Amino acid sequence: PPVSDSTLAGGGGRRSSLRLGPEHASKLSDRSETCPIGQYGGGMTLHEQLRDVALDEFATAGYAGTSLQRIADLVGTSKASVLYHYDSKERLLEAAISPAVDDLRGFVDGMGIDTFAPEKLPAFVEQFVDVLLAHRQVVHFVINQGATLEDVPVVHRALEQMRRLAEFFELAPSSTVEK
C-alpha cells in the first residue's frame, strides 16, 4: 500500500512530516515509514529528488500549475532549499527534461538516410519506442504544453528535435500508405 504519511528524520535529530501522494510514495524503495531527509528512495540526493518530483508535477499539473512551494512540500524541504539547488522554476524544468531532450537528440542524430530501409525499420521502431517509453512524462509534457512554452529554451530544444524527427518521416522514401 502507498505511504501516505511518512516521517522523515533530519539532521541533528530534527523530525518533520511529509505527505506523499500515491504517485510519489511508490518511489520509496523500502516502503518504510521513515527515511532520512535527502533520501526519496534508492539513495537519491535532494537535488535528484527535487528534479524527479518536479518532473512528476510538471507532467501532471503543468508548468503554470506547478509551484516551487508545492515541490518543496512534496520533498519535505523548504522553498529556499529548492532555490538553492535550482535558482528558478525554469532551471528546474531544464534539469527535469534535459536528459530526455538529449536522448532524443542522440536518437535523431543517429538516424541516416537508410534508417527507413526495410531491413532496418524494425530496429528503428524498437529504439524509437524505447526512447518514448523511457521519457514518457517528458513526452506528455512537451506534447501538451510545448506550444505554449516554446520561448523556454529547453522546451524550444525539445520541439526542435521533434521537428527534426518529423522531417525524417517526411523525407523517408515510402508510399503515402506507409507514411
Side-chain angles (χ1 to χ4, degrees):
V3 177
S4 61
D5 190 15
S6 297
T7 305
L8 302 177
R14 202 176 109 212
R15 299 181 73 75
S16 63
S17 180
L18 165 68
R19 282 214 166 288
L20 295 175
E23 69 279 7
H24 299 297
S26 66
K27 291 186 181 179
L28 290 171
S29 60
D30 63 357
R31 302 272 201 265
S32 68
E33 298 244 332
T34 63
C35 81
I37 285 183
Q39 298 296 314
Y40 191 61
M44 292 174 65
T45 65
L46 180 57
H47 195 80
E48 293 166 333
Q49 292 173 42
L50 292 168
R51 183 197 61 223
D52 288 359
V53 169
L55 178 56
D56 289 346
E57 287 300 300
F58 290 140
T60 56
Y63 184 75
T66 299
S67 71
L68 294 178
Q69 185 62 58
R70 168 95 173 132
I71 293 166
D73 292 345
L74 288 169
V75 174
T77 192
S78 67
K79 182 177 174 182
S81 181
V82 175
L83 288 168
Y84 172 79
H85 288 274
Y86 299 98
D87 64 0
S88 67
K89 185 167 135 179
E90 187 175 315
R91 291 269 193 254
L92 185 52
L93 175 65
E94 182 177 349
I97 73 171
S98 279
V101 174
D102 293 342
D103 283 356
L104 181 58
R105 180 178 182 203
F107 176 77
V108 173
D109 286 350
M111 293 173 62
I113 196 69
D114 64 341
T115 297
F116 296 102
E119 67 277 2
K120 292 189 175 187
L121 201 53
F124 163 78
V125 170
E126 183 178 337
Q127 291 171 353
F128 183 54
V129 170
D130 286 347
V131 169
L132 294 177
L133 290 176
H135 302 293
R136 64 181 61 92
Q137 288 181 305
V138 175
V139 170
H140 172 80
F141 175 81
V142 171
I143 287 172
N144 288 299
Q145 297 184 51
T148 60
L149 296 171
E150 189 162 10
D151 60 326
V152 176
V154 71
V155 176
H156 180 78
R157 284 190 312 124
L159 292 171
E160 185 58 34
Q161 295 312 311
M162 290 174 63
R163 286 184 197 102
R164 287 182 61 211
L165 185 60
E167 287 172 8
F168 269 103
F169 283 110
E170 286 296 316
L171 297 174
S174 60
S175 70
T176 307
V177 172
E178 290 171 326
K179 287 183 183 181

